[in-house]
Amino acid sequence: MKKEAITIYPINELASSRWSPRAFLDKPVEKEKLISLFEAARWSASGGNEQPWRFIVGLNHDETWQKIFSTLAEGNQEWNQHVPILILAIGNKISSWDGNISPVFQYDTGQAVAHLSIEAMNQGLHVHQMGGFSGEKAAELFDIPETYLPLVVIAAGYIGNPDSLPEKLKQRELEQRKRKGLSEIVFSGKFGNAAKMILVLLALMVGGCNQQTKQPAGQQDSTNKRPTVQVPEFSADSAYESVKKQLSFGPRVPNTAAHEKCAAYLIDKLKSYSANVTVQKGQVYAYNRTALNFQNIIASWKPETNNRILLCAHWDSRPYADHDPDPKNRKKPVDAANDGASGVGVLLEVARQLNLLDPPIGIDIILFDVEDYGPPQDQTMDNSEQYWGQGAQYWSNTPHKPDYFAKYGILLDMVGAKNATFLMEGISMQYAENIVKSVWSTGNRIGYSAYFIYEKGGYVTDDHLPINQIRNIPTIDLIHLDKTTQSGFYPFWHTTGDTFDKIDKNTLKAVGQTLLTVIFEEK
């Protein structure tokens, strides 16, 4: 079984083919091949030529193998029962230069193991490194001196059949390999700033990219390949920090200081990414006739073109946690980590990427205000829908540009919770079924089938409704729907539990990378 890395720039085949399986054949490894692994480790780079690495090797269930196996965590023992080789890697903590603890002994030992890993690929073998073991038990079983530290256990052998694994491990074995983008790991100027060298190289790689079309369950479909385009890597860390920053102001309820401070932050942030930022200010009335001051914040790229798409989310917080399980909390405002801040966090990172690499079409990002000031659940009213999504209603009637039009729109709402499920929302399917299917297809194609579910969800009164009905722009709602909850939404919807700890980087990544792929594959 091969799991070739889908690289965006050519690398050595041994490196791109290296991965860490759990399924190994119960087949002895030739001693000549095994010795080659350690010979490669022996010639690894070493600070001061200290060569701190040491290895204890167990073969084919011999006594040493059994000892190493006994140190493994239970989860690792589950799949290591048939592995022919177990290696314990140990580092010498003490430097021979000054007798103190070396600051690089673990780094150097890691380099030696990396050399061993690549040589394993060269010999037709695979290895799987494990930190899940007891170093204390290993030190005791093998009489390891206190000046040496057990660092990792390595399984080695010939790759086996994933069907030999328990179902949960089999699924992990078949998953596509994923890595952070170069812009997330290579910096210049200061930590977190993507190196210009990387951005320039990526931008120039027209037609020379090595990236392949991905399909769910690790399958490739040669009949459905798309033109090779450069899609930026979405930084989940950046989006995560943007969510955190919004919550630092407190609940962003209209007419509050937190609301004003967050607006200033969002405006400044978007101005740092776009030269075309408009703030649409106005006043609307809540269900209880409270006058609400609002700010719709709009950033545009390539405003001169009519070939454009609209991305949006709401940035205000619900004033009442009216669905909280504790009645005492139902008059409290909501932090709105997922229901508000998550969509904004994703769009801020998208904006950052659009500043780094020009999109092929025009883009407008709109952060709508006063989405969540509808009547509490215990207060029934006629025509209550008019009090939800008032910022989007205002913009749809009075857009920032007269006669504004976009090919389509994508609304983000509750897009940051762990294991989120995005069903095909009803109003989206009514007005923009083809856009829903296209976005879901993209999400599945690039590896996020666990999030983008091909299943119809309920009808949601959200900001996309007036955009569809008033502005006549086919717009979809990418929203976390959950058929197992009473509300049909994310479990902490409109409760005091919608807090920062519910935000998951993997979900932010799935949504953000899908959006960027949709944008940069546009024509």
Side-chain angles (χ1 to χ4, degrees):
M1 175 181 174
K2 289 188 175 182
K3 289 177 72 170
E4 196 80 17
I6 301 174
T7 64
I8 62 171
Y9 213 76
I11 64 173
N12 183 276
E13 184 179 354
L14 293 176
S16 66
S17 300
R18 187 221 60 79
W19 68 287
S20 303
R22 293 177 179 83
F24 286 87
L25 292 178
D26 188 5
K27 171 185 175 181
V29 173
E30 298 86 341
K31 290 201 168 42
E32 294 81 5
K33 291 187 175 183
L34 180 58
I35 292 171
S36 291
L37 268 59
F38 294 116
E39 182 69 0
R42 185 169 79 97
W43 286 101
S44 172
S46 174
N49 205 24
E50 293 268 15
Q51 305 171 54
W53 49 83
R54 303 291 186 272
F55 301 100
I56 296 176
V57 57
L59 305 175
N60 307 317
H61 295 74
D62 64 10
E63 181 182 359
T64 301
W65 189 101
Q66 296 288 350
K67 286 182 178 180
I68 298 174
F69 181 83
S70 72
T71 70
L72 296 177
E74 183 178 351
N76 285 329
Q77 287 188 350
E78 184 177 12
W79 58 269
N80 269 281
Q81 298 175 25
H82 303 296
V83 171
I85 299 171
L86 288 175
I87 303 167
L88 177 64
I90 307 158
N92 182 1
K93 297 186 286 187
I94 305 303
S95 169
S96 62
W97 291 92
D98 56 15
N100 295 320
I101 293 179
S102 167
V104 296
F105 81 94
Q106 295 182 70
Y107 174 82
D108 278 2
T109 304
Q111 285 200 95
V113 172
H115 277 62
L116 182 153
S117 300
I118 295 298
E119 182 58 29
M121 297 299 301
N122 187 47
Q123 296 293 335
L125 306 170
H126 280 73
V127 304
H128 188 126
Q129 302 166 48
M130 295 167 281
F133 78 106
S134 172
E136 294 82 1
K137 185 174 182 179
E140 180 180 347
L141 288 173
F142 292 109
D143 294 325
I144 297 172
E146 292 184 359
T147 54
Y148 288 79
L149 182 67
L151 294 172
V152 70
V153 172
I154 307 161
Y158 290 100
I159 194 167
N161 190 330
D163 290 338
S164 66
L165 297 170
E167 186 61 29
K168 62 179 181 180
L169 294 180
K170 176 183 174 181
Q171 293 305 315
R172 293 175 67 179
E173 197 86 341
L174 295 174
E175 287 177 354
Q176 292 178 341
R177 297 173 61 192
K178 300 175 183 176
R179 282 294 187 270
K180 295 181 185 295
L182 290 175
S183 62
E184 295 181 70
I185 62 174
V186 184
F187 306 142
S188 63
K190 67 175 183 178
F191 188 89
N193 279 2
K196 297 295 183 183
M197 166 192 68
I198 297 298
L199 299 175
V200 171
L201 280 174
L202 294 180
L204 291 175
M205 285 167 51
V206 179
C209 188
N210 193 23
Q211 191 166 7
Q212 301 173 20
T213 303
K214 301 178 186 175
Q215 296 293 333
Q219 298 175 355
Q220 298 292 332
D221 183 357
S222 60
T223 66
N224 189 31
K225 297 208 173 185
R226 296 199 170 224
T228 300
V229 296
Q230 176 52 44
V231 178
E233 280 288 337
F234 182 89
S235 171
D237 290 336
S238 173
Y240 189 76
E241 288 303 315
S242 293
V243 175
K244 184 177 181 180
K245 181 65 176 180
Q246 292 172 74
L247 267 65
S248 71
F249 300 110
R252 285 83 58 212
V253 176
N255 295 350
T256 65
H259 185 264
E260 287 293 320
K261 290 177 182 177
C262 188
Y265 160 72
L266 296 175
I267 293 166
D268 287 346
K269 201 72 173 173
L270 285 174
K271 283 184 175 179
S272 71
Y273 301 141
S274 170
N276 301 283
V277 175
T278 303
V279 181
Q280 188 180 56
K281 295 185 178 183
Q283 191 175 81
V284 295
Y285 289 90
Y287 69 95
N288 57 7
R289 305 311 298 164
T290 299
L292 303 174
N293 298 312
F294 74 87
Q295 299 184 60
N296 290 331
I297 306 166
I298 304 126
S300 300
W301 288 261
K302 296 190 174 180
E304 70 283 353
T305 180
N306 292 322
N307 183 24
R308 56 196 316 102
I309 61 176
L310 167 65
L311 308 174
C312 50
H314 78 89
W315 67 273
D316 60 307
S317 299
R318 177 82 172 141
Y320 324 110
D322 52 333
H323 282 261
D324 200 280
D326 185 351
K328 295 178 182 178
N329 290 333
R330 290 176 185 167
K331 296 297 183 183
K332 296 179 180 178
V334 177
D335 278 355
N338 194 33
D339 188 5
S342 66
V344 174
V346 168
L347 291 183
L348 288 179
E349 169 56 12
V350 169
R352 188 178 75 88
Q353 295 295 342
L354 297 179
N355 182 48
L356 297 173
L357 190 62
D358 281 342
I361 58 171
I363 302 291
D364 299 290
I365 289 178
I366 305 184
L367 307 182
F368 287 122
D369 202 356
V370 201
E371 187 272 344
D372 234 352
Y373 216 113
Q377 65 162 334
D378 59 359
Q379 188 167 341
T380 57
M381 299 182 65
D382 292 334
N383 301 318
S384 63
E385 287 186 358
Q386 66 181 301
Y387 298 113
W388 297 94
Q390 291 205 65
Q393 290 183 54
Y394 186 96
W395 177 85
S396 296
N397 282 298
T398 315
H400 63 291
K401 290 181 66 174
D403 301 320
Y404 174 86
F405 183 75
K407 292 198 299 184
Y408 61 87
I410 301 175
L411 169 67
L412 305 184
D413 198 353
M414 294 187 278
V415 293
K418 186 175 183 180
N419 298 323
T421 50
F422 303 119
L423 306 184
M424 303 167 111
E425 186 270 336
I427 291 174
S428 304
M429 292 294 284
Q430 178 182 341
Y431 286 96
E433 180 177 354
N434 62 323
I435 305 303
V436 173
K437 291 180 177 178
S438 176
V439 172
W440 261 242
S441 175
T442 299
N444 277 262
R445 174 166 52 85
I446 64 173
Y448 300 115
S449 58
Y451 298 93
F452 292 87
I453 311 298
Y454 284 104
E455 182 178 340
K456 290 184 178 180
Y459 288 72
V460 181
T461 300
D462 209 340
D463 285 336
H464 67 318
L465 184 59
I467 302 174
N468 279 299
Q469 292 183 339
I470 300 172
R471 202 74 242 143
N472 294 318
I473 299 173
T475 301
I476 71 171
D477 193 1
L478 182 50
I479 183 170
H480 184 164
L481 299 176
D482 188 340
K483 291 185 175 181
T484 68
T485 64
Q486 186 175 359
S487 67
F489 294 120
Y490 149 75
F492 299 97
W493 173 73
H494 289 185
T495 73
T496 56
D498 188 5
T499 47
F500 184 63
D501 61 297
K502 307 305 188 303
I503 300 301
D504 179 66
K505 292 182 182 180
N506 294 314
T507 305
L508 296 174
K509 175 71 173 181
V511 174
Q513 195 61 57
T514 299
L515 271 188
L516 286 174
T517 304
V518 167
I519 291 169
F520 281 84
E521 288 184 348
E522 275 288 345
K523 296 178 181 178

